[in-house]
Amino acid sequence: MRAARLIRMVLLLQSRASMTAGELARELEVSERTVSRDAQALSEAGIPVYADRGRAGGYRLVGGYRTRLTGLARSEAEALFLSGVPGALRDMGLEDTASAARLKVSAALLPSVRDASRSAAQRFHLDAPAWFSEPRTPELLPALADAVWDDRPVLARYRRGGSEVERTLEPYGLVLKAGLWYLCARVADAAAFRVYRIDRFTAVDPGAERFRRDEGFDLAAFWEERAGEFARSVLRSEIVVRLSPEGVRRLPYALGPASAQEGLGTSGAPDGQGWVTLTLPVESEVVARMQLRGLGPEVEVLAPAALRERCAEDAAGAAALYR
């Protein structure tokens, strides 16, 4: 533990001209007294750490000292490629690994470009969770992340409907979608790839042996295909509507891109008022009723008759409220 901290301290001082005891204490998550003791230990070991006294003082390396302890471990190299997703790294338990990797890279850079990581962080940030929802980190995410990185099968239990199911899975990849974590895995006894919501796992027991990974598996392509299949699979009903030009513009936001794209492909030529008639795939009439409220007077339901009546009731109720 202390050896790792001493190496980290040397790398910090190598990447910066000078650091105060307070700055080092915050970076290393120790007290300033511990920083002083560590600096003394490094000096006794032959590493030229010099302490400047006074108000503007601090610690620095003298004589152009450079350490060769900058080689990246495999885990650090992998985490470095995820460094633009800090929240995801934290959830998977890789924050410290990524921090060590960034520090090693910074220490190996020329002084003129050492601030590149800070400069990039000031200009780009990925905010993965959806609006108006509180992101929750699944309890078993770190264990599954370890299995993914290490190619180890897991004996997993997860909730499906009102019961629990047990499967041996080969975890291939993790996906963070709108604040929810998913596992893309191959079922060991079926050789089929499936997607699981991680917050539905109740137990995970990693195996001792590694599984042989299919090198042809493309996580991004697999997820894109499955996400498209899911979006289409929930659209089990159809409705017929008339839309104003403004309604057409707002349709993807109200019903979703998959429904809007397929529905607009069925539209005919605009009528004299610029309205178009089209058939929309929807999840159900109940869901469609709620979604169409967002379009207000920009949509008219033509069929089915029951949905048209309910939408008319909604419109009449709103009109009465504001009369």
Side-chain angles (χ1 to χ4, degrees):
M1 182 72 175
R2 190 191 185 198
R5 189 176 71 241
L6 292 174
I7 293 173
R8 182 175 170 83
M9 183 174 180
V10 173
L11 292 173
L12 282 168
L13 293 175
Q14 183 173 310
S15 62
R16 307 180 194 181
S18 176
M19 295 184 69
T20 66
E23 289 171 338
L24 283 168
R26 285 191 295 273
E27 289 280 356
L28 300 173
E29 298 181 346
V30 295
S31 67
E32 292 188 20
R33 185 183 295 271
T34 299
V35 168
S36 178
R37 287 199 296 265
D38 286 351
Q40 180 64 32
L42 288 171
S43 181
E44 292 173 357
I47 296 175
V49 177
Y50 181 76
D52 290 316
R53 306 296 180 183
R55 192 180 189 89
Y59 294 90
R60 60 186 175 88
L61 294 174
V62 297
Y65 179 83
R66 304 281 296 175
T67 177
R68 295 180 180 270
L69 296 174
T70 54
L72 290 178
R74 179 180 179 84
S75 61
E76 293 170 340
E78 290 170 338
L80 186 62
F81 284 99
L82 292 172
S83 59
V85 198
L89 283 169
R90 182 176 58 252
D91 292 347
M92 290 188 290
L94 297 173
E95 188 174 29
D96 289 343
T97 302
S99 176
R102 288 193 297 269
L103 185 57
K104 287 183 178 182
V105 170
S106 296
L109 293 174
L110 294 173
S112 59
V113 294
R114 255 179 216 153
D115 67 340
S117 61
R118 182 178 60 86
S119 176
Q122 290 174 338
R123 290 163 173 80
F124 176 77
H125 172 69
L126 176 62
D127 185 11
W131 286 102
F132 313 119
S133 62
E134 184 66 27
R136 296 181 180 179
T137 303
E139 181 180 348
L140 295 175
L141 175 60
L144 285 168
D146 285 343
V148 168
W149 291 118
D150 213 19
D151 292 340
R152 294 190 184 276
V154 296
L155 180 62
R157 293 186 62 83
Y158 64 95
R159 294 186 299 274
R160 188 172 69 182
S163 61
E164 285 194 357
V165 179
E166 187 174 272
R167 291 281 188 276
T168 298
L169 304 176
E170 295 176 352
Y172 267 66
L174 299 168
V175 175
L176 176 59
K177 170 70 172 178
L180 291 176
W181 283 95
Y182 296 87
L183 174 70
C184 300
R186 182 165 60 185
V187 182
D189 56 358
F193 287 96
R194 296 176 184 169
V195 176
Y196 302 86
R197 266 185 59 166
I198 293 181
D199 59 3
R200 292 177 181 167
F201 281 88
T202 59
V204 172
D205 184 15
E209 302 295 328
R210 290 183 171 88
F211 64 86
R212 187 180 182 86
R213 190 179 184 90
D214 181 357
E215 296 301 329
F217 178 78
D218 186 327
L219 178 61
F222 172 77
W223 176 258
E224 183 178 6
E225 179 183 353
R226 289 303 173 91
E229 290 175 358
F230 174 76
R232 292 188 296 270
S233 70
V234 299
L235 304 177
R236 301 186 180 94
S237 301
E238 288 186 346
I239 63 174
V240 181
V241 300
R242 287 180 68 238
L243 285 170
S244 69
E246 176 63 15
V248 170
R249 187 187 70 81
R250 288 160 48 184
L251 185 63
Y253 305 100
L255 272 75
S259 177
Q261 184 177 3
E262 187 172 336
L264 290 171
T266 69
S267 64
D271 60 21
Q273 298 175 305
W275 288 52
V276 295
T277 300
L278 51 92
T279 301
L280 284 172
V282 295
E283 184 174 344
S284 68
E285 291 183 23
V286 173
V287 173
R289 180 184 180 183
M290 293 186 293
Q291 293 173 324
L292 292 173
R293 288 171 183 164
L295 296 176
E298 309 302 330
V299 62
E300 177 189 2
V301 177
L302 302 179
L307 179 60
R308 178 180 174 89
E309 291 175 5
R310 293 189 180 95
C311 289
E313 292 170 2
D314 292 342
L321 181 64
Y322 287 99
R323 185 173 296 134

